[in-house]
Amino acid sequence: HLFLTHTHFDHICGMPFFGPLFDKRNRFQVWAGHLGAGMTIKHALSELMMAPLFPVPLDIFAASISFHDFAAGETLEPRPGVRLRTAPLTHPNGATGYRIDYAGKSICYLTDTEHAKGKLDQNILDLIKGADIAIYDSMYTDAEFDARIGWGHSTWQEGARLCAAAGVKTFVVFHHDPDHSDDFMDKVAQEAAAMWPGSVVAREGLVVRP
């Protein structure tokens, strides 16, 4: 099961090169909840792999693939015992946040969302309430945010405020601005841990267990 947050190019450009899709022994279900207005996830991915943008079409994949569209806000059960709640995020062209509950543990994934200053996003609060782990769009700092309103991203401080209000155990600072250096991110890690104990900054190879 592949659950897509949205279909901006930087989030789906790797799909035509995803090796397991070329193996006929594999089966995939691709889900998206942000499109609407007559658009489907199958059509969006077909457009990605259409000439002259790409030399081969979607049906080049040997794996069995099915496509599912839903409306952000629905609750899904992709497998028995796996409860997947969804929520709309504030991002240009729409995006979907996810919460997976399984075997008494919960993890939330909230990438590409922009907050309104001075007001916590109720959709997100409802989704992450009491979660073990929340991975949140922390591209900017509060000091940088005003110059980037409308770009569809949030700040690590807003993530900490949301996690504090919702009683999240572990806040993962995620979706870093590529202009931020390692030294900058080390400082963010220190400040985030001070603001909300249990905060960690996502990095390559990191494993977080609830």
Side-chain angles (χ1 to χ4, degrees):
H1 294 270
L2 297 178
F3 291 92
L4 303 181
T5 58
H6 61 304
T7 43
H8 283 164
F9 186 73
D10 56 320
H11 285 257
I12 62 171
C13 61
M15 197 160 212
F17 309 98
F18 185 47
L21 290 173
F22 294 90
D23 189 331
K24 66 181 180 181
R25 296 170 297 178
N26 293 332
R27 294 182 298 164
F28 287 90
Q29 297 189 52
V30 180
W31 302 74
H34 68 290
L35 291 168
M39 175 61 72
T40 67
I41 186 56
K42 183 176 183 179
H43 182 73
L45 295 176
S46 296
E47 292 282 303
L48 170 70
M49 298 179 64
M50 180 179 292
L53 303 178
F54 204 73
V56 292
L58 190 68
D59 58 13
I60 193 69
F61 295 135
S64 172
I65 308 173
S66 58
F67 299 89
H68 307 279
D69 294 277
F70 63 93
E74 292 184 31
T75 297
L76 311 171
E77 190 175 359
R79 301 190 66 166
V82 179
R83 185 169 181 254
L84 197 144
R85 292 167 52 196
T86 70
L89 302 179
T90 303
H91 193 65
N93 310 126
T96 302
Y98 294 97
R99 174 181 177 138
I100 301 172
D101 287 283
Y102 176 70
K105 300 294 184 178
S106 54
I107 183 170
C108 306
Y109 185 67
L110 303 136
T111 182
D112 290 58
T113 190
E114 182 174 315
H115 67 277
K117 290 184 66 175
K119 182 180 180 181
L120 297 178
D121 188 322
Q122 192 62 48
N123 284 329
I124 291 178
L125 283 175
D126 291 342
L127 193 68
I128 69 175
K129 184 177 181 180
D132 291 294
I133 299 171
I135 304 166
Y136 182 78
D137 181 348
S138 305
M139 195 163 194
Y140 307 123
T141 66
D142 279 354
E144 296 169 324
F145 183 70
D146 283 354
R148 294 162 174 82
I149 290 175
W151 291 18
H153 294 283
S154 191
T155 72
W156 70 261
Q157 289 100 330
E158 186 69 8
R161 288 187 284 266
L162 285 163
C163 289
V168 172
K169 293 179 182 177
T170 300
F171 162 43
V172 181
V173 178
F174 170 77
H175 206 311
H176 313 313
D177 187 332
D179 288 334
H180 289 165
S181 67
D182 288 349
D183 288 343
F184 187 99
M185 293 310 305
D186 287 342
K187 184 178 179 182
V188 168
Q190 294 174 358
E191 293 178 355
M195 184 172 179
W196 181 242
S199 300
V200 295
V201 170
R203 56 176 58 89
E204 186 175 1
L206 176 70
V207 176
V208 180
R209 300 187 187 281

